[in-house]
Amino acid sequence: MEKRPRISHIGSVGIIYPRINPNRIFLERKTGDFPIKLFRHQLNFIGGNWIGESARTDSGPLNTFRRELQEELSLEKTAVSTAELAALGHAPQEIFSMTPALNRPVSHRHRVMLKEIKRIICANCVPFGTFLNTVSKAALDAADPDNKREGFIFLSAYWCMPLDKNRWATLHRLQTNYGNLSNESITLITSLDEMIESGTKTAFGNDRVLPEVFPSLRL
């Protein structure tokens, strides 16, 4: 009998893009000190894993995504903990760090605007699909000669969040004004053409999912 793959991560992420003429997409880029060296400076969808104390009340993948979105997207730059990665075996211990400071003071109006964008995203999630994404030990070893991790398999739920013209314009304005809307990584707005031209890769096995995402959304 064929051995079943052992799933080491369960996650939930969002595909955020403008509903009309969806040629752009809102993503995050992992920082240069991310504990898994293979994923440093790589792109990822907004979201996270079902693990840790804060995940105990998640009733399913959609709640996991909503919780992660609320935690991650913020104009207040607080200390970032690697507790979740440590629990998954990807960091030796919990470490705290800070994402880069914003390039300008934050207005109350913009805080309210981001809060409303998050509310709209959480209220309008549409299922896209669930995928098993694999990252091999060979890939981890190639990026980090000192790697001690085995390869891992992610069970990830993906949700589409198309934003109408005005709300996408608001998100774009906030991203342009502050340069980063995340507490954990660096957010950006990009396109498939820009990703191909720059040669930027995606983290956590999302390279397997993107060929289905872009044609479906006509990105």
Side-chain angles (χ1 to χ4, degrees):
M1 181 180 295
E2 184 178 353
K3 186 178 180 180
R4 292 183 179 181
R6 182 179 181 274
I7 296 171
S8 54
H9 303 65
I10 298 175
S12 193
V13 298
I15 306 164
I16 304 171
Y17 61 96
R19 183 187 300 276
I20 299 176
N21 190 25
N23 60 353
R24 309 293 282 172
I25 189 168
F26 181 69
L27 298 169
E28 66 174 17
R29 176 181 285 113
K30 294 303 181 185
T31 57
D33 60 353
F34 192 68
I36 305 175
K37 290 185 178 181
L38 174 63
F39 299 149
R40 290 178 179 178
H41 306 295
Q42 292 190 353
L43 300 181
N44 196 38
F45 295 106
I46 305 295
N49 293 294
W50 180 54
I51 194 169
E53 288 298 319
S54 61
R56 287 183 179 274
T57 57
D58 293 353
S59 60
L62 181 54
N63 289 96
T64 296
F65 168 72
R66 287 169 171 164
R67 173 181 54 79
E68 289 283 348
L69 178 82
Q70 294 291 348
E71 292 174 357
E72 180 173 350
L73 294 190
S74 174
L75 292 173
E76 313 302 328
K77 299 306 173 191
T78 57
V80 180
S81 168
T82 61
E84 185 175 295
L85 289 170
L88 290 168
H90 298 318
Q93 59 188 3
E94 183 177 10
I95 300 172
F96 291 90
S97 62
M98 295 290 293
T99 51
L102 296 177
N103 55 17
R104 61 189 301 174
V106 179
S107 71
H108 173 72
R109 177 169 171 266
H110 285 167
R111 288 191 181 95
V112 172
M113 289 166 65
L114 181 58
K115 182 178 180 180
E116 174 64 8
I117 288 293
K118 292 196 292 183
R119 185 190 70 79
I120 292 297
I121 289 174
C122 288
N124 293 279
C125 300
V126 178
F128 179 77
T130 302
F131 295 80
L132 279 177
N133 299 335
T134 301
V135 177
S136 69
K137 186 177 189 305
L140 295 170
D141 290 345
D144 181 6
D146 298 322
N147 173 58
K148 300 296 190 297
R149 306 176 183 90
E150 296 297 323
F152 35 84
I153 298 176
F154 303 86
L155 177 63
S156 297
Y158 291 78
W159 307 89
C160 285
M161 272 72 68
L163 297 178
D164 64 31
K165 180 179 179 180
N166 291 335
R167 291 188 173 104
W168 177 260
T170 298
L171 180 64
H172 189 279
R173 186 180 308 119
L174 291 171
Q175 176 65 34
T176 301
N177 282 349
Y178 295 105
N180 183 27
L181 306 180
S182 173
N183 259 333
E184 302 174 6
S185 302
I186 307 297
T187 57
L188 74 159
I189 293 174
T190 188
S191 67
L192 177 59
D193 288 343
E194 290 173 356
M195 292 172 64
I196 293 173
E197 183 177 351
S198 66
T200 304
K201 297 184 179 299
T202 60
F204 296 104
N206 285 312
D207 286 340
R208 176 177 178 271
V209 181
L210 284 175
E212 297 194 34
V213 170
F214 285 112
S216 175
L217 305 182
R218 297 181 180 179
L219 292 172

